[in-house]
Amino acid sequence: MNRLGKQTVGGGVKKIIYALRTMQRIGLLDSNKALRSNNACKACGLGMGGQAGGMTNEQGDFPSVCNKSIQAQSTDIQPPIPEALFDFTLEDFRALTPHELEHLGRLGSPIYKSAKEQCYRPVEWEWAMQHIVQRFRSLQPERTFFYSSGRSSNEAGFVFQLLARAFGTNNVNNCSYYCHQATSVGLSSTLGTGTATVELADLDLADCIFVIGANPASNHPRFIHKLKACRDRGGQVIVINPAREPGLVKFALPKSAKSLLIGGSEIASHYLQPRIGSDTDLLNGIAKAVFENQQSDQAFIESHTNDFAHYEQQLGSLSWSSIEASTGLSETQIRSVASAYGSSKSAIFAWGMGVTHHLHGVETVEAIASLCLLRGMVGRPGAGLLPLRGHSNVQGMGTIGVKPKLDDTVLAALESKLGIRLPSQSQSPGMDTLACLEAADNNEMDAAILLGGNLLSATPNATWARSALSKVDFKVCLTTTLNASHVDGCDGAEMLILPVAARDEEPEPTTQESMFNYIRLSDGGIQRIASARSETAILAELADGIVDEVDFSSLQSHQAVRELIAETIPGLSELSGIHQSKREFHVANRLKHVPQFNTADGLARFVYSATPSVAALRPFTLMSVRSEGQFNSIIYEEQDSYRGTKDRWTVLLNPKDIDHLGLVEGDKVDITSDAGEMRSVSVYPFDLPRGNAMAYYPEANVLIGLSRDSRSQTPAFKSVAVSIKQTTQK
């Protein structure tokens, strides 16, 4: 429900029409060619495409496509930006909305501006590459950083991190530090592995699926098909989310005529709305009820886990009154969910950034894993843990080493194979994403290479982020289209932006890894922008000029890169022959269909944590969220068709809080945090707990400070103390 009771249904005919209109706008022939080609989907980490064919997943389901897949193609299938537009200043470009900026067209040639210039100008590729090499050869490695989004290929990512390390720094990281790094840390501490323990097919065997702190109706629409299928089998779908998202209540599946005709299918069997940031206490409450109901799997616990005694003791001392006070939920509500879980035979826990974007994100992931272990719901088919990853290859970027710390075995293998010494952690500790920007703010960063992404818009404390990035003297960006990072936070900096081939345009095949640890092979081969170059080739050529100790010239070949990955990165030995066999595969030793864990003793570990007590510094707790019409920081539509908002400069509040503030829908308010202020924001009623609020990302980043989870370094995007008052007209 939204708008005080009006029912909204996710999906439906309107989404089919929207997809068709998008395809018509970009050209039916071009869009059909892109969607049907043997290339991995460019959108979320759920994955589809590859050698099974476009719009086909690893189970052979067709058409396995959603509006996000089509939206992702819409920005790639554009003509080049007219060069005359670069006569406009940075200020002119900043006046455009993110949607307008992304839709100016594809970048058609390298563009450059000096530190003193306020306009970009096209330059030749040869000059651009020589200039980058010259600049980097004059720099101290520790005063540089290398950042990547999850858009690139495994091949490009591997060369990227190798370039950074051969240059002499471990300051290499990816966007997971702003999303699921807490997942990697939390799962590693409990199971010894930082990724999903299940494959896509396991969802078909589950009779209970938890969806915690995620809105897959908007962000992973094809996941909804698996949730509905679980309900159709008589299973339970348990949603835990402060916001009652319409698409998780009811969704009209475009592939199901029946679902469309009846006005939508029920998705959630249980829907709990805890207060923002109280998930750990809620999960402990569910575990407490399961244990009290004698529904734990003692045989599994005794044979396959450690540290249960402490976990059991802490659950026993936990009072229901404290759980209720923290979560805002009743014992009866929590016990109802615990009963559903306790009676299930095979359960899968899925979660998103509503779990990880807090000061205690790692602890909440550990609480999920421990609840899973309590009933032996990992280590067998149809049960396990599933972090819902955002970008289509963000997990792959971590696998192949785009992170500050490489495992010792990987580092040793690279050194042995290449005959060089790479910087150790003692020589170059390596900084996470936010730490690199803090160093920049302290004038300790001279240059950066940004492989895709929109680092400015992704970073919290927008005013501070803009200032920090402006202090990086020289930035090199590899991108397909322009975004805020290319026109803001760079007035006094030297910028060089290189046009790259999209995934389906790569001249040689590339690989990507889904959130199910599934490696896909993308053929590439579509030609759209004549001057766009392969990311891998660009990085290898730059590395060959910057680094003397390694011959990078051979690594312009994707096959040569895959062979090196196969020899040095655990679990990827099959990668070396994938171009010939066309056989896609799961990364070895990740899926857990038997209870053997990647810990020193092979046992999983229970961890108990409680939600830390934080004084209420302001009346409201705000979380930033994505809209139906966006993907990560890319905005495709200004309105949010599921929540009903008309523009993004909006705050969503409980109707009773709106009344309490003396406001009505559409009134303007100022939102203030310790970090910043949003002025004249429209008020909109939504089903949220009292005292909680939502605003859109990245607009709300101005409110979000630099506080972060101490174990994962992930910023607290979804637990921001704010004050809200009616705007005073001046």
Side-chain angles (χ1 to χ4, degrees):
M1 300 282 182
N2 66 31
R3 279 188 178 273
L4 305 179
K6 182 179 178 181
Q7 180 76 49
T8 299
V9 177
V13 174
K14 62 182 180 292
K15 285 301 171 187
I16 298 175
I17 295 172
Y18 173 83
L20 288 173
R21 286 177 176 170
T22 303
M23 292 174 69
Q24 288 174 334
R25 177 170 57 81
I26 62 181
L28 290 175
L29 291 177
D30 285 339
S31 57
N32 182 64
K33 180 180 180 180
L35 291 168
R36 295 300 298 268
S37 64
N38 288 5
N39 292 289
C41 176
K42 301 172 185 176
C44 76
L46 195 69
M48 64 91 172
Q51 295 307 294
M55 299 191 288
T56 306
N57 65 23
E58 56 261 48
Q59 292 183 290
D61 296 332
F62 176 89
S64 183
V65 68
C66 69
N67 64 311
K68 298 297 182 189
S69 308
I70 298 168
Q71 287 172 336
Q73 293 289 359
S74 70
T75 50
D76 284 342
I77 306 176
Q78 298 186 90
I81 300 172
E83 289 192 356
L85 287 185
F86 294 116
D87 291 336
F88 288 93
T89 66
L90 294 176
E91 186 175 358
D92 293 327
F93 280 104
R94 285 195 289 266
L96 301 176
T97 67
H99 176 272
E100 291 169 336
L101 195 56
E102 292 271 1
H103 289 81
L104 287 176
R106 288 283 296 274
L107 188 63
S109 66
I111 56 174
Y112 172 80
K113 64 169 278 311
S114 69
K116 295 180 179 180
E117 290 178 305
Q118 289 298 301
C119 295
Y120 281 107
R121 51 187 167 87
V123 295
E124 296 296 324
W125 267 106
E126 183 178 2
W127 181 90
M129 299 294 280
Q130 290 176 350
H131 186 70
I132 296 168
V133 168
Q134 181 184 31
R135 291 285 276 112
F136 267 78
R137 288 186 72 92
S138 69
L139 298 171
Q140 298 178 36
E142 277 302 280
R143 293 182 63 88
T144 66
F145 71 92
F146 295 71
Y147 168 84
S148 173
S149 76
R151 172 189 59 75
S152 296
S153 67
N154 292 325
E155 292 78 5
F158 183 81
V159 175
F160 185 65
Q161 63 88 17
L162 188 58
L163 160 60
R165 292 187 164 91
F167 179 53
T169 183
N170 286 319
N171 293 336
V172 53
N173 48 66
N174 68 70
C175 56
S176 69
Y177 276 94
Y178 285 173
C179 56
H180 265 293
Q181 184 64 17
T183 288
S184 299
V185 176
L187 289 184
S188 294
S189 77
T190 51
L191 305 182
T193 183
T195 63
T197 68
V198 298
E199 61 181 318
L200 182 63
D202 284 319
L203 290 164
D204 297 333
L205 304 176
D207 63 352
C208 180
I209 302 175
F210 281 80
V211 181
I212 309 171
N215 183 18
S218 286
N219 301 319
H220 302 83
R222 287 181 293 111
F223 188 64
I224 297 295
H225 290 267
K226 295 296 186 183
L227 300 181
K228 178 187 178 292
C230 180
R231 292 299 309 276
D232 289 345
R233 296 191 299 271
Q236 308 298 308
V237 173
I238 299 169
V239 177
I240 297 175
N241 193 324
R244 193 170 180 84
E245 299 288 5
L248 297 182
V249 176
K250 206 169 187 180
F251 197 97
L253 282 79
K255 285 174 62 175
S256 170
K258 179 181 178 181
S259 183
L260 291 172
L261 288 171
I262 65 175
S265 305
E266 291 185 359
I267 303 302
S269 58
H270 300 73
Y271 205 124
L272 294 181
Q273 295 178 257
R275 295 190 180 105
I276 291 172
S278 66
D279 302 273
T280 307
D281 287 341
L282 171 56
L283 293 162
N284 288 338
I286 296 171
K288 179 180 178 68
V290 166
F291 191 74
E292 290 176 351
N293 293 342
Q294 298 183 339
Q295 292 174 312
S296 59
D297 188 335
Q298 291 302 124
F300 176 89
I301 292 169
E302 291 173 9
S303 299
H304 303 296
T305 70
N306 277 324
D307 299 337
F308 177 68
H310 176 73
Y311 183 74
E312 178 186 10
Q313 179 185 22
Q314 292 299 313
L315 289 181
S317 63
L318 187 62
S319 71
W320 280 106
S321 60
S322 67
I323 296 170
E324 290 179 319
S326 171
T327 64
L329 301 171
S330 69
E331 179 181 348
T332 300
Q333 289 174 295
I334 298 171
R335 284 191 178 277
S336 175
V337 165
S339 178
Y341 174 48
S343 61
S344 67
K345 295 180 180 179
S346 296
I348 290 176
F349 291 78
W351 67 94
M353 291 182 291
V355 166
T356 61
H357 276 177
H358 299 276
L359 298 179
H360 53 282
V362 173
E363 285 80 1
T364 305
V365 172
E366 291 172 335
I368 293 171
S370 296
L371 179 58
C372 185
L373 293 171
L374 185 62
R375 296 206 61 241
M377 291 295 182
V378 63
R380 57 188 175 87
L385 297 151
L386 177 61
L388 297 171
R389 303 276 180 173
H391 219 310
S392 55
N393 196 40
V394 64
Q395 186 165 301
M397 299 304 278
T399 296
I400 49 81
V402 185
K403 52 190 176 184
K405 187 180 188 314
L406 286 180
D407 292 340
D408 291 340
T409 55
V410 175
L411 189 65
L414 284 171
E415 290 181 334
S416 174
K417 188 67 181 175
L418 298 172
I420 61 169
R421 295 289 295 175
L422 298 174
S424 65
Q425 292 299 128
S426 60
Q427 294 169 323
S428 173
M431 288 185 274
D432 62 84
T433 307
L434 196 54
C436 285
L437 292 182
E438 288 176 321
D441 189 47
N442 292 328
N443 295 305
E444 296 169 358
M445 285 292 171
D446 297 325
I449 298 182
L450 310 180
L451 182 60
N454 184 353
L455 183 54
L456 174 62
S457 293
T459 299
N461 201 336
T463 303
W464 172 85
R466 186 177 296 110
S467 173
L469 280 168
S470 70
K471 296 177 183 178
V472 180
D473 295 336
F474 181 49
K475 292 193 286 290
V476 178
C477 304
L478 283 70
T479 188
T480 54
T481 58
L482 294 179
N483 60 48
S485 292
H486 306 135
V487 300
D488 206 354
C490 59
D491 286 50
E494 186 181 7
M495 296 283 293
L496 218 171
I497 308 178
L498 306 177
V500 299
R503 179 174 301 162
D504 53 4
E505 300 165 357
E506 284 279 357
E508 299 178 37
T510 60
T511 58
Q512 294 77 34
E513 180 186 337
S514 79
M515 66 189 185
F516 295 100
N517 308 293
Y518 191 70
I519 301 293
R520 283 184 169 80
L521 179 69
S522 296
D523 287 349
I526 298 175
Q527 294 185 347
R528 298 191 185 101
I529 305 298
S531 60
R533 293 189 181 182
S534 164
E535 291 178 322
T536 305
I538 293 170
L539 293 167
E541 183 179 337
L542 288 176
D544 210 38
I546 294 170
V547 178
D548 294 327
E549 293 76 14
V550 181
D551 179 8
F552 275 90
S553 60
S554 65
L555 296 184
Q556 292 192 42
S557 160
H558 293 178
Q559 177 54 24
V561 176
R562 285 192 291 271
E563 289 174 359
L564 185 55
I565 292 173
E567 292 177 320
T568 56
I569 304 295
L572 293 179
S573 61
E574 293 183 62
L575 200 65
S576 62
I578 195 172
H579 70 295
Q580 292 177 330
S581 69
K582 307 293 184 182
R583 191 173 76 83
E584 298 169 329
F585 63 94
H586 289 94
V587 179
N589 301 317
R590 294 263 185 91
L591 302 182
K592 297 301 170 190
H593 287 159
V594 294
Q596 180 67 37
F597 302 102
N598 298 2
T599 56
D601 57 9
L603 302 177
R605 174 172 167 258
F606 279 93
V607 177
Y608 178 86
S609 298
T611 303
S613 178
V614 179
L617 302 178
R618 294 179 182 271
F620 290 91
T621 301
L622 178 142
M623 61 179 178
S624 62
V625 296
R626 288 153 174 77
S627 71
E628 163 58 16
Q630 91 179 85
F631 179 70
N632 293 340
S633 61
I634 302 174
I635 311 302
Y636 295 109
E637 299 174 277
E638 294 295 325
Q639 65 179 19
D640 188 339
S641 59
Y642 286 178
R643 298 188 183 110
T645 59
K646 299 302 181 185
D647 65 77
R648 299 180 58 80
W649 202 249
T650 299
V651 61
L652 294 86
L653 296 168
N654 183 293
K656 291 183 179 179
D657 284 331
I658 294 175
D659 290 342
H660 181 73
L661 292 170
L663 304 169
V664 296
E665 178 183 338
D667 279 351
K668 303 295 184 181
V669 295
D670 298 336
I671 311 172
T672 306
S673 73
D674 289 346
E677 183 180 43
M678 293 177 70
R679 290 189 55 81
S680 195
V681 181
S682 297
V683 169
Y684 189 83
F686 201 72
D687 193 340
L688 285 161
R690 293 289 305 272
N692 287 177
M694 296 197 310
Y696 290 113
Y697 160 96
E699 289 82 355
N701 279 358
V702 70
L703 300 171
I704 299 166
L706 302 182
S707 298
R708 72 208 74 172
D709 182 329
S710 62
R711 295 171 66 188
S712 69
Q713 307 307 313
T714 302
F717 287 98
K718 296 190 186 299
S719 47
V720 185
V722 299
S723 302
I724 300 174
K725 64 178 182 179
Q726 189 163 16
T727 300
T728 302
Q729 299 297 328
K730 295 183 180 179

